[in-house]
Amino acid sequence: MRHALITILASFVGVMAALFIFYSWRDAEDARTRAAAETEQQARLEQGRQLRERTLGEERAMLAIVNDVAAVSGVRVAIAEVYMSSGRMPASNADAGLPEPATYKGQSLVSLQVVEGGTILLTFDATSGVEGGVIEWQPDLGGIESMGMQWHCLTHDYPLIVRALPTCTYAPAGQVGIVPVK
């Protein structure tokens, strides 16, 4: 009888030890699973925060570009007037009767330069998202008799330009966009 009691007691202790080990392992596994889930959730929250910051930065940059382009829109009128009165496109700010390029300043604009063929080059600072980024406005004389002078916008620096200027074209550097008017 004593041998049976020892066997039962040893079996009971063995079962209890096995249950203790099982529950300890399960608790540790649950803790690892929770920690992994929390780490993943923190990573997603951080990605969301970074995306939100990047999006806000892009929106601020595009808003600065929109405001600066609107502020200098009269330059296109001045170039059209020069062409209509002289029959030729200005090749510089002076030819167009405009101040020096560096005098044009805005939220992000650092210069406005008129170059050969009446093309306008707007150069921006880092506030625009690209230090030294350029947006070109090229005159199109194709339908000047019926629709007046038209303008084409092109940039090699702002892939998201259509968010700010829906009619502007992005062409990566080295890719030909709009053929300048001669």
Side-chain angles (χ1 to χ4, degrees):
M1 177 84 175
R2 185 172 177 187
H3 186 51
L5 191 56
I6 291 174
T7 303
I8 291 173
L9 188 58
S11 297
F12 178 73
V13 169
V15 168
M16 293 306 289
L19 284 173
F20 176 76
I21 291 170
F22 171 75
Y23 283 117
S24 295
W25 173 80
R26 190 181 72 181
D27 289 346
E29 192 63 29
D30 287 347
R32 280 192 291 274
T33 302
R34 279 192 304 275
E38 284 181 21
T39 301
E40 184 178 332
Q41 182 179 14
Q42 290 299 325
R44 286 183 180 166
L45 289 172
E46 180 61 21
Q47 285 175 339
R49 185 190 63 74
Q50 289 173 353
L51 177 62
R52 192 171 40 255
E53 285 179 13
R54 188 176 71 235
T55 302
L56 285 173
E58 289 169 353
E59 291 302 319
R60 280 188 216 108
M62 292 299 112
L63 183 60
I65 288 172
V66 166
N67 290 339
D68 288 344
V69 167
V72 297
S73 62
V75 171
R76 289 183 283 179
V77 173
I79 290 173
E81 287 175 355
V82 168
Y83 177 77
M84 297 306 271
S85 65
S86 70
R88 64 174 185 79
M89 294 302 285
S92 68
N93 288 40
D95 286 352
L98 300 171
E100 290 296 311
T103 60
Y104 289 90
K105 302 285 184 205
Q107 291 177 352
S108 182
L109 184 69
V110 293
S111 75
L112 180 151
Q113 182 180 10
V114 177
V115 296
E116 192 64 39
T119 296
I120 303 167
L121 302 177
L122 302 175
T123 305
F124 297 90
D125 65 16
T127 306
S128 71
V130 178
E131 179 68 37
V134 175
I135 296 176
E136 298 178 30
W137 287 92
Q138 300 174 348
D140 178 359
L141 304 176
I144 197 163
E145 292 82 22
S146 61
M147 300 184 311
M149 186 177 293
Q150 300 299 305
W151 292 87
H152 298 286
C153 177
L154 172 69
T155 183
H156 300 291
D157 300 315
Y158 300 101
L160 303 176
I161 192 66
V162 295
R163 291 165 80 187
L165 304 168
T167 60
C168 202
T169 302
Y170 169 71
Q175 178 180 342
V176 177
I178 301 166
V179 178
V181 177
K182 296 183 174 132

